[in-house]
Amino acid sequence: MAPIVSIKNLTKTYENGFQALKGVDLDIEEGEILALLGPNGAGKTTLISIICGLVNPTGGKVLVADHDVVKDFRKTREMIGLVPQELTTDMFETVWNTVGFSRGVHGKKPNPALIEGILKDLSLWSKKDNMLRELSGGMKRRVLIAKALAHEPKILFLDEPTAGVDVNLRREMWQVVEKLRANGVTIILTTHYIEEAEEIADRVGVINGGKLLLLEEKTALMQKLGRKQLRLELSEPLKALPENLALYNLTLSDEGTALIHEYQGEEGQGSIASLLAALAAEDIHFRDLSTRQSSLEDIFVALVGEKAGEKA
Ligand SMILES: Nc1ncnc2c1ncn2[C@@H]1O[C@H](COP(=O)(O)OP(=O)(O)OP(=O)(O)O)[C@@H](O)[C@H]1O
Ligand SMILES: [Mg+2]
């Protein structure tokens, strides 16, 4: 199946000469949830703005359902819902009108039942007659999501949807996203909360310095790049690491009561088997063991830190 969004060699240099995107290639599959991670200034909002037709690319091409986002702006924009990073809504309008108006802007007939459903899903129903300026920050953010959903988009871009949103609400939003995906909506979100990507994304992309550094299935990524740790609680404390164990990546805990072995996700099995055999040969016994896998956050920090280091 052709990707719903196809991005080829996309570049963007702003008027002041700043190169925000340096050749991005990315295919987004219909129905997936893609999380884009990257530090401040990485180019995430620029990328989204180009796909949504709000910023013109300098070079390259973006197709949405086979339509060019520059030449066929109207057609592509109709399919897209955007929840922008910044709040830019009329603060004196009511929630109900703002969201309904947003549907009209996209040329759709009014559908009060749909708007009611959206507001209820986002826990905004009790505020429907309030002006936006009377809402809390997190509620305003939810209004932006409601606005983006009002015209029933096929593709939804969420630019940091849960920044400044409390933990409960974040979970509620994740449920809304899941529900949309179940209805076949393709979702692209940017986030600084790595647990958000870990929780809801099918694929994860990492952007830094205007380049897509990595794009991978979340589970495969975590298995492949994730470091694992095996911790062995020793029956008898050790004073030092025996020399014969030097070739294993081992550290001794402070009190000498535990051995910690670090390994990459995939190399694990062989190395652990031979480590355990070597321990037995040294007459070192353990009474308990545990393993721990590094999170996406560790992976992200390692990756962005590494690339940043390369530049220096
Ligand atoms: N209109 C503009 N003119 C000049 N430079 C810009 C403009 N908009 C963005 N930039 C620059 O482009 C780079 C990428 O910005 P962008 O907003 O895409 O980053 P981001 O990944 O969304 O960051 P954040 O996580 O902070 O939202 C930044 O260095 C920014 O200063
Ligand atoms: Mg941004």
Side-chain angles (χ1 to χ4, degrees):
M1 204 171 54
I4 187 111
V5 179
S6 166
I7 301 167
K8 294 262 178 331
N9 198 21
L10 188 66
T11 59
K12 174 65 188 179
T13 305
Y14 282 107
E15 288 70 28
N16 63 3
F18 186 85
Q19 205 182 352
L21 295 178
K22 300 174 180 167
V24 172
D25 291 292
L26 171 63
D27 280 345
I28 300 167
E29 302 302 325
E30 185 160 10
E32 75 168 323
I33 300 182
L34 172 67
L36 293 173
L37 299 170
N40 288 136
K44 304 179 297 295
T45 299
T46 302
L47 177 65
I48 287 182
S49 303
I50 293 174
I51 305 170
C52 295
L54 304 174
V55 167
N56 274 326
T58 306
K61 204 179 178 83
V62 181
L63 300 179
V64 171
D66 279 334
H67 298 284
D68 189 290
V69 293
V70 180
K71 286 190 216 122
D72 278 340
F73 168 76
R74 276 178 192 287
K75 209 155 209 150
T76 57
R77 192 62 186 86
E78 196 175 288
M79 289 183 262
I80 293 175
L82 169 65
V83 180
Q85 186 170 5
E86 308 281 340
L87 302 164
T88 52
T89 312
D90 181 356
M91 289 297 146
F92 292 90
E93 198 47 274
T94 65
V95 170
W96 178 264
N97 287 345
T98 303
V99 176
F101 180 67
S102 192
R103 185 172 167 86
V105 163
H106 287 89
K108 296 260 164 122
K109 290 207 180 75
N111 184 344
L114 176 93
I115 306 291
E116 179 175 339
I118 292 172
L119 293 181
K120 284 183 173 163
D121 275 350
L122 289 162
S123 311
L124 282 171
W125 186 239
S126 66
K127 299 285 180 187
K128 71 179 167 48
D129 298 318
N130 286 82
M131 280 190 271
L132 291 184
R133 67 190 189 102
E134 297 164 346
L135 304 184
S136 76
M139 290 170 187
K140 287 189 190 112
R141 195 154 279 284
R142 278 180 280 158
V143 172
L144 290 183
I145 298 182
K147 268 167 63 93
L149 294 178
H151 69 287
E152 300 167 274
K154 276 173 73 71
I155 309 165
L156 181 64
F157 288 89
L158 298 151
D159 201 354
E160 299 190 31
T162 59
V165 157
D166 71 40
V167 176
N168 284 336
L169 194 55
R170 190 171 297 162
R171 298 220 158 263
E172 269 179 40
M173 282 200 191
W174 292 349
Q175 280 167 13
V176 171
V177 167
E178 279 297 340
K179 196 167 154 187
L180 289 168
R181 194 252 292 268
N183 290 334
V185 178
T186 306
I187 294 153
I188 297 96
L189 70 130
T190 71
T191 180
H192 287 272
Y193 299 106
I194 292 177
E195 81 264 24
E196 189 157 83
E198 214 166 280
E199 182 78 28
I200 62 177
D202 300 310
R203 280 199 303 167
V204 175
V206 176
I207 298 190
N208 195 14
K211 288 186 186 156
L212 189 64
L213 299 181
L214 173 146
L215 179 69
E216 195 133 18
E217 299 279 332
K218 178 188 64 187
T219 40
L221 176 67
M222 292 177 66
Q223 264 168 19
K224 197 160 89 185
L225 290 182
R227 290 193 70 74
K228 292 189 178 178
Q229 200 182 65
L230 170 70
R231 187 182 168 97
L232 300 165
E233 305 296 338
L234 301 174
S235 308
E236 304 278 329
L238 282 176
K239 288 206 174 62
L241 276 176
E243 268 178 33
N244 287 346
L245 298 177
L247 62 101
Y248 298 94
N249 195 5
L250 280 179
T251 44
L252 194 58
S253 70
D254 283 346
E255 323 268 83
T257 54
L259 278 174
I260 298 141
H261 172 52
E262 290 243 12
Y263 58 101
Q264 285 297 126
E266 278 175 350
E267 79 195 37
Q269 285 184 334
S271 82
I272 288 177
S274 79
L275 168 66
L276 295 184
L279 287 175
E282 292 290 317
D283 212 19
I284 297 172
H285 302 278
F286 55 93
R287 54 180 174 79
D288 199 4
L289 64 82
S290 57
T291 60
R292 158 180 190 278
Q293 181 161 4
S294 63
S295 65
L296 196 55
E297 174 147 13
D298 303 330
I299 296 170
F300 175 71
V301 169
L303 189 71
V304 170
E306 209 173 88
K307 297 285 167 178
E310 264 174 26
K311 262 189 286 174

